[in-house]
Short mmCIF file of all heavy atoms in Angstrom, two decimals:
data_model
loop_
_atom_site.label_atom_id
_atom_site.label_comp_id
_atom_site.label_asym_id
_atom_site.label_seq_id
_atom_site.Cartn_x
_atom_site.Cartn_y
_atom_site.Cartn_z
N ARG Q 234 4.23 7.61 -5.27
CA ARG Q 234 5.55 7.07 -4.92
C ARG Q 234 6.40 6.91 -6.17
O ARG Q 234 7.63 7.06 -6.14
CB ARG Q 234 5.41 5.75 -4.16
CG ARG Q 234 4.74 5.90 -2.80
CD ARG Q 234 4.77 4.61 -2.04
NE ARG Q 234 6.10 4.26 -1.59
CZ ARG Q 234 6.65 4.70 -0.46
NH1 ARG Q 234 5.99 5.52 0.35
NH2 ARG Q 234 7.87 4.31 -0.13
N PHE Q 235 5.76 6.58 -7.30
CA PHE Q 235 6.53 6.45 -8.53
C PHE Q 235 7.07 7.80 -8.98
O PHE Q 235 8.25 7.93 -9.37
CB PHE Q 235 5.65 5.83 -9.62
CG PHE Q 235 6.27 5.86 -10.98
CD1 PHE Q 235 7.35 5.04 -11.29
CD2 PHE Q 235 5.79 6.73 -11.96
CE1 PHE Q 235 7.93 5.08 -12.53
CE2 PHE Q 235 6.38 6.77 -13.20
CZ PHE Q 235 7.44 5.94 -13.50
N LEU Q 236 6.23 8.85 -8.93
CA LEU Q 236 6.69 10.17 -9.34
C LEU Q 236 7.76 10.71 -8.43
O LEU Q 236 8.68 11.41 -8.85
CB LEU Q 236 5.49 11.13 -9.38
CG LEU Q 236 4.51 10.96 -10.54
CD1 LEU Q 236 3.36 11.94 -10.40
CD2 LEU Q 236 5.20 11.14 -11.88
N ALA Q 237 7.66 10.39 -7.13
CA ALA Q 237 8.64 10.88 -6.16
C ALA Q 237 9.92 10.06 -6.16
O ALA Q 237 10.88 10.41 -5.44
CB ALA Q 237 8.03 10.91 -4.75
N GLY Q 238 9.97 8.97 -6.92
CA GLY Q 238 11.14 8.12 -6.94
C GLY Q 238 11.34 7.32 -5.67
O GLY Q 238 12.46 6.88 -5.38
N GLN Q 239 10.28 7.09 -4.93
CA GLN Q 239 10.35 6.32 -3.68
C GLN Q 239 10.13 4.82 -3.97
O GLN Q 239 9.56 4.47 -5.01
CB GLN Q 239 9.32 6.82 -2.68
CG GLN Q 239 9.53 8.26 -2.27
CD GLN Q 239 8.41 8.76 -1.38
OE1 GLN Q 239 7.38 8.11 -1.22
NE2 GLN Q 239 8.61 9.93 -0.77
N PRO Q 240 10.57 3.95 -3.07
CA PRO Q 240 10.36 2.51 -3.27
C PRO Q 240 8.88 2.19 -3.35
O PRO Q 240 8.06 2.77 -2.62
CB PRO Q 240 11.00 1.87 -2.04
CG PRO Q 240 11.96 2.89 -1.52
CD PRO Q 240 11.36 4.22 -1.85
N PRO Q 241 8.49 1.26 -4.22
CA PRO Q 241 7.07 0.90 -4.33
C PRO Q 241 6.58 0.16 -3.09
O PRO Q 241 7.37 -0.40 -2.33
CB PRO Q 241 7.03 0.02 -5.59
CG PRO Q 241 8.41 -0.55 -5.69
CD PRO Q 241 9.33 0.51 -5.17
N LEU Q 242 5.25 0.13 -2.93
CA LEU Q 242 4.64 -0.48 -1.76
C LEU Q 242 4.08 -1.85 -2.13
O LEU Q 242 3.53 -2.03 -3.22
CB LEU Q 242 3.50 0.39 -1.22
CG LEU Q 242 3.90 1.80 -0.74
CD1 LEU Q 242 2.68 2.56 -0.29
CD2 LEU Q 242 4.90 1.71 0.40
N ALA Q 243 4.20 -2.81 -1.21
CA ALA Q 243 3.61 -4.13 -1.38
C ALA Q 243 2.16 -4.10 -0.90
O ALA Q 243 1.68 -3.09 -0.35
CB ALA Q 243 4.41 -5.18 -0.62
N ALA Q 244 1.47 -5.22 -1.11
CA ALA Q 244 0.04 -5.29 -0.78
C ALA Q 244 -0.19 -5.04 0.71
O ALA Q 244 -1.14 -4.33 1.08
CB ALA Q 244 -0.53 -6.64 -1.20
N GLU Q 245 0.66 -5.58 1.56
CA GLU Q 245 0.45 -5.42 3.01
C GLU Q 245 0.59 -3.96 3.44
O GLU Q 245 -0.20 -3.47 4.23
CB GLU Q 245 1.45 -6.30 3.76
CG GLU Q 245 1.30 -6.27 5.27
CD GLU Q 245 2.27 -7.19 5.99
OE1 GLU Q 245 2.90 -8.02 5.30
OE2 GLU Q 245 2.38 -7.08 7.21
N GLU Q 246 1.56 -3.26 2.88
CA GLU Q 246 1.75 -1.86 3.23
C GLU Q 246 0.64 -1.00 2.64
O GLU Q 246 0.18 -0.02 3.26
CB GLU Q 246 3.12 -1.37 2.74
CG GLU Q 246 3.45 0.04 3.16
CD GLU Q 246 3.47 0.23 4.66
OE1 GLU Q 246 3.84 -0.73 5.38
OE2 GLU Q 246 3.12 1.34 5.11
N LEU Q 247 0.17 -1.34 1.43
CA LEU Q 247 -0.96 -0.62 0.86
C LEU Q 247 -2.20 -0.78 1.74
O LEU Q 247 -2.93 0.20 1.98
CB LEU Q 247 -1.25 -1.12 -0.56
CG LEU Q 247 -0.25 -0.69 -1.64
CD1 LEU Q 247 -0.53 -1.45 -2.94
CD2 LEU Q 247 -0.34 0.81 -1.88
N ALA Q 248 -2.42 -2.01 2.20
CA ALA Q 248 -3.58 -2.25 3.07
C ALA Q 248 -3.45 -1.47 4.37
O ALA Q 248 -4.43 -0.93 4.91
CB ALA Q 248 -3.72 -3.74 3.36
N ARG Q 249 -2.25 -1.37 4.90
CA ARG Q 249 -2.04 -0.65 6.17
C ARG Q 249 -2.30 0.85 5.98
O ARG Q 249 -2.92 1.48 6.83
CB ARG Q 249 -0.64 -0.90 6.69
CG ARG Q 249 -0.37 -0.29 8.07
CD ARG Q 249 0.99 -0.62 8.60
NE ARG Q 249 1.13 -2.05 8.82
CZ ARG Q 249 1.88 -2.87 8.10
NH1 ARG Q 249 2.59 -2.39 7.09
NH2 ARG Q 249 1.95 -4.15 8.36
N GLN Q 250 -1.84 1.41 4.88
CA GLN Q 250 -2.05 2.83 4.66
C GLN Q 250 -3.50 3.16 4.33
O GLN Q 250 -3.99 4.23 4.67
CB GLN Q 250 -1.14 3.33 3.54
CG GLN Q 250 0.34 3.28 3.88
CD GLN Q 250 1.15 4.29 3.08
OE1 GLN Q 250 0.62 5.25 2.54
NE2 GLN Q 250 2.45 4.06 3.02
N MET Q 251 -4.19 2.21 3.67
CA MET Q 251 -5.60 2.42 3.38
C MET Q 251 -6.50 2.01 4.55
O MET Q 251 -7.72 2.21 4.49
CB MET Q 251 -6.01 1.61 2.13
CG MET Q 251 -5.27 2.00 0.86
SD MET Q 251 -5.49 3.75 0.42
CE MET Q 251 -7.25 3.81 0.13
N ARG Q 252 -5.90 1.41 5.59
CA ARG Q 252 -6.62 1.02 6.81
C ARG Q 252 -7.73 0.03 6.54
O ARG Q 252 -8.86 0.15 7.03
CB ARG Q 252 -7.19 2.26 7.52
CG ARG Q 252 -6.10 3.23 8.00
CD ARG Q 252 -6.72 4.43 8.70
NE ARG Q 252 -5.67 5.36 9.11
CZ ARG Q 252 -5.90 6.51 9.71
NH1 ARG Q 252 -7.15 6.88 9.98
NH2 ARG Q 252 -4.90 7.32 10.03
N VAL Q 253 -7.42 -0.97 5.73
CA VAL Q 253 -8.34 -2.05 5.45
C VAL Q 253 -7.58 -3.36 5.56
O VAL Q 253 -6.36 -3.39 5.40
CB VAL Q 253 -8.99 -1.93 4.04
CG1 VAL Q 253 -9.85 -0.70 3.94
CG2 VAL Q 253 -7.91 -1.91 2.96
N PRO Q 254 -8.24 -4.48 5.84
CA PRO Q 254 -7.56 -5.78 5.89
C PRO Q 254 -6.95 -6.15 4.55
O PRO Q 254 -7.47 -5.79 3.49
CB PRO Q 254 -8.67 -6.74 6.32
CG PRO Q 254 -9.70 -5.88 6.97
CD PRO Q 254 -9.65 -4.58 6.27
N ALA Q 255 -5.86 -6.88 4.59
CA ALA Q 255 -5.18 -7.30 3.37
C ALA Q 255 -6.06 -8.19 2.51
O ALA Q 255 -6.01 -8.16 1.29
CB ALA Q 255 -3.86 -8.01 3.71
N ASP Q 256 -6.90 -9.03 3.16
CA ASP Q 256 -7.80 -9.89 2.39
C ASP Q 256 -8.80 -9.07 1.61
O ASP Q 256 -9.23 -9.47 0.53
CB ASP Q 256 -8.53 -10.87 3.33
CG ASP Q 256 -7.60 -11.92 3.87
OD1 ASP Q 256 -6.49 -12.04 3.35
OD2 ASP Q 256 -7.98 -12.61 4.82
N ALA Q 257 -9.23 -7.93 2.14
CA ALA Q 257 -10.21 -7.10 1.47
C ALA Q 257 -9.61 -6.37 0.28
O ALA Q 257 -10.30 -6.11 -0.70
CB ALA Q 257 -10.83 -6.12 2.46
N ILE Q 258 -8.34 -6.03 0.37
CA ILE Q 258 -7.72 -5.27 -0.70
C ILE Q 258 -7.26 -6.17 -1.85
O ILE Q 258 -7.02 -5.67 -2.96
CB ILE Q 258 -6.52 -4.46 -0.14
CG1 ILE Q 258 -6.25 -3.22 -1.00
CG2 ILE Q 258 -5.27 -5.30 -0.07
CD1 ILE Q 258 -5.17 -2.34 -0.43
N ALA Q 259 -7.16 -7.47 -1.60
CA ALA Q 259 -6.64 -8.38 -2.61
C ALA Q 259 -7.47 -8.39 -3.90
O ALA Q 259 -6.89 -8.34 -5.00
CB ALA Q 259 -6.51 -9.79 -2.04
N PRO Q 260 -8.82 -8.48 -3.85
CA PRO Q 260 -9.58 -8.48 -5.11
C PRO Q 260 -9.40 -7.19 -5.92
O PRO Q 260 -9.40 -7.22 -7.15
CB PRO Q 260 -11.04 -8.65 -4.66
CG PRO Q 260 -10.96 -9.23 -3.27
CD PRO Q 260 -9.71 -8.68 -2.69
#
């Protein structure tokens, strides 16, 4: 997303795209 010049993703959206709970992705 940085190379494409797109808006960065927050933790919740990263967790959704990785298909894991947000609590699991936090560490």
Side-chain angles (χ1 to χ4, degrees):
R234 295 187 70 86
F235 170 71
L236 286 178
Q239 298 175 348
L242 299 178
E245 183 177 348
E246 185 59 33
L247 286 170
R249 185 176 296 110
Q250 293 205 20
M251 298 302 297
R252 297 181 182 178
V253 295
D256 289 347
I258 206 175

